[in-house]
Amino acid sequence: YLPPGYNAEDTIHYPVIYLLDGSADEDFIHITGLVQYANFPWVNLLPPSIVVGIANVDRKRDYCFPTQNQKDKKNNPSSGGSAKFIDFIGNELEPYIDSEYKTNKTKTIIGQSLGGLLATEILFKKPDLFNKYIIISPSLWWDDESLLKIPPAILKQGNKTKTSIFIAVGKEGAIMEADTRRLVGILKAKPNPSIKVHFSYFPKENHATIMHQAVYDAFGIFS
């Protein structure tokens, strides 16, 4: 999605929003609709932005790191390829978008559920790939919450990269709600003026309905 008025010949460079689960029959259409609405000058929640929807091939393979949990392995036999997928984003996709389109240095990732797990893994392991994170209902239960047991790279001492993180969960069960709050607690445990963490709880939304409202609220908070 290119913002209205986009012209490859002009001097304007645009932020890029990378959307996981981003094919046309997933979240691409309604998220680009939110971006368009947020760009209206009378709304003005976002600057005009490029949206890159990343369509699924095998989300359990691409969004999940290897697990030692036997039930996870049995139910998701193709899982375990997230490191390669993260490398694809950083080494192929982002450089391609930057070379083909007029982008600036503001890069946002949006991920929900297993996509939220992947966005959290990037935040914990390769945080410089993005400087804005929208993490919704992350499946942090994966591999017995092992991701929450490692020191997040985003909190590395001396990190001065300005990063905004929006985390949200709805009424989605005790495990998912507790894991999400635990993630927020980890990120806020070592205050860093360069890192802004916002948490929102949506008691009227569930795993199926939270995405649209959470992304809209994140845009407002990031503005």
Side-chain angles (χ1 to χ4, degrees):
Y1 168 86
L2 298 176
Y6 179 92
N7 183 344
E9 304 301 322
D10 66 24
T11 60
I12 302 173
H13 289 73
Y14 297 90
V16 184
I17 298 169
Y18 289 86
L19 174 64
L20 301 171
D21 298 313
S23 70
D25 60 353
E26 295 172 308
D27 293 327
F28 184 78
I29 292 173
H30 77 93
I31 295 300
T32 52
L34 282 178
V35 171
Q36 181 195 34
Y37 177 78
N39 285 169
F40 287 146
W42 54 90
V43 178
N44 196 30
L45 286 180
L46 280 181
S49 302
I50 297 168
V51 181
V52 177
I54 307 175
N56 282 322
V57 176
D58 181 344
R59 72 196 301 267
K60 292 177 180 178
R61 179 195 69 190
D62 293 336
Y63 294 177
C64 299
F65 50 86
T67 178
Q68 300 305 311
N69 182 292
Q70 295 304 313
K71 185 177 179 181
D72 288 348
K73 288 182 179 180
K74 181 179 179 181
N75 293 338
N76 307 280
S78 68
S79 64
S82 65
K84 290 184 177 179
F85 192 70
I86 293 169
D87 285 343
F88 156 72
I89 292 173
N91 298 331
E92 297 183 50
L93 181 59
E94 287 189 348
Y96 173 78
I97 296 299
D98 288 341
S99 68
E100 294 293 317
Y101 300 95
K102 300 183 74 65
T103 65
N104 64 27
K105 294 183 179 180
T106 299
K107 296 179 181 179
T108 300
I109 185 168
I110 301 174
Q112 191 226 357
S113 194
L114 288 179
L117 176 70
L118 182 77
T120 305
E121 184 179 1
I122 294 171
L123 182 67
F124 274 42
K125 297 179 179 178
K126 294 190 175 181
D128 290 343
L129 288 181
F130 300 95
N131 47 33
K132 293 187 177 183
Y133 288 78
I134 300 176
I135 299 172
I136 304 166
S137 310
S139 298
L140 298 168
W141 50 263
W142 180 257
D143 190 34
D144 300 315
E145 293 96 8
S146 67
L147 187 59
L148 296 175
K149 300 172 186 176
I150 68 172
I154 187 67
L155 299 182
K156 184 178 179 181
Q157 189 173 5
N159 183 359
K160 296 182 179 179
T161 303
K162 290 186 177 181
T163 305
S164 297
I165 305 164
F166 176 91
I167 300 169
V169 71
K171 198 161 186 62
E172 303 179 59
I175 293 175
M176 181 163 284
E177 292 176 38
D179 284 348
T180 303
R181 293 179 186 275
R182 186 177 165 195
L183 170 62
V184 175
I186 290 169
L187 294 173
K188 288 187 174 182
K190 296 182 179 180
N192 182 329
S194 297
I195 301 170
K196 295 182 179 180
V197 181
H198 181 89
F199 171 68
S200 285
Y201 177 57
F202 294 85
K204 294 183 180 180
E205 307 299 337
N206 58 40
H207 200 67
T209 64
I210 188 174
M211 179 75 165
H212 197 274
Q213 184 64 54
V215 171
Y216 181 76
D217 281 15
F219 288 165
I221 288 164
F222 286 172
S223 65

